Amino acid sequence: MKRRSLAGIGAGAALFSLTACGEDSGEGGDGGSGDGYVIGFSQVGAESAWRTANSKSVQDAAAADERGIELKFDDGQQDQEKQIAAVRGYINQAVDAIVLAPVVETGWTDVLTEASDAGIPVVLADRGIEAADEDLYVTRLGSDFEAEGRSAGEWAATTFAATPDFKILELTGTTGSAPANDRKAGFFAVLDEKAVAYTLVDSQTGNFTAEEGKATMETFITTHGLDGIHLLYAHNDEMGLGAIQAIEEAGKAPGTDIQIIIVDGSKAGFQAGVDGKVNYIVECNPAFGEQLMDVVVDVIEGGSPEKFTPVEEGVFGPETFEAELPNRQF
Ligand code: AHR
């Protein structure tokens, strides 16, 4: 591992020991890779095309020869305990920095305090954690999930402004995750600000997977039927695509009998749009690996980036689906 500057890496930096990391000690054998920085990445899982693309983006960026980075990667399988164990493992290996994509927002204080006490800076990728823990990481790079929810809400408010008794079903992401919390908050804040009259008929999680999205949609259909429901707001593509199957199996036409908003913008999501089964797509951009590696190296070398750097994202209506489909990267 390279020598690490102590400036700007958070509260625990004062306790950092160069010898503990084997830096310049000539001892080796601590998980280092020679010339480059060693970075431990605890990823949420592999629940969606978005996630797979995100893992690849980070791994490809880290693997670039000129960076000389050794990236240790752990798939948390959407399980916080697994992620905590991975972070502890990285602390024990005295990596130069830890990148954490936290599956949920709470419950990180203990392990992040351990990282801080070891003098290892933590950079959050993609998802955020709750305010109480904010001193325990240096910076977050990822989506503004509330803005994504607001974009979905803007479209719904405009589209259904004149709809009497506007009825909504919501498929939320993983319970307690930042995107589930913020996409919901942003969406309904806009409807309320614009004084749109609506009924939220039901809101349940589909855990960001197609399988669970389909199962939850089947439960919605059994419980409420689809007659008179105007909109399904699915917090990601996978759940929306699973729901489309359930709607079709119930003999209804997704995109027509019930309009559908999805978030991510995968190839499969855009194809569903081209097929007339999805009505609006809010982009969530997973391709921030290069930017992330720049930020992590900057942090290791003592930089003090902004607390949050949002990635660039767009929104897409039906008139754009066909032209945009070939541009989608995942
Ligand atoms: O945290 C980003 C979200 O996680 C993406 O919208 C979703 O597809 C993934 O599971």
Side-chain angles (χ1 to χ4, degrees), residues 47-48 50-51 126-127 145 179 183 208 235-236 238 263-264 284:
E47 73 282 3
S48 60
W50 187 101
R51 186 66 54 198
D126 171 30
R127 300 181 184 179
F145 300 121
R183 286 174 185 164
F208 283 129
H235 285 196
N236 83 339
E238 264 67 25
V263 184
D264 275 356
C284 183

Side-chain angles (χ1 to χ4, degrees), residues 202 214-224:
D202 212 337
K214 180 171 189 247
T216 303
M217 190 69 208
E218 286 167 352
T219 304
F220 285 164
I221 293 170
T222 305
T223 310
H224 310 287

Side-chain angles (χ1 to χ4, degrees), residues 165-170 184 188 198-204 217 219-221 223-232 258:
D165 200 14
F166 171 31
K167 288 190 172 147
I168 304 169
L169 289 170
E170 183 186 32
K184 182 183 194 65
F188 289 104
Y198 66 86
T199 304
L200 178 59
V201 174
D202 212 337
S203 174
Q204 304 287 338
M217 190 69 208
T219 304
F220 285 164
I221 293 170
T223 310
H224 310 287
L226 281 174
D227 293 341
I229 308 279
H230 301 95
L231 177 68
L232 171 68
I258 176 170

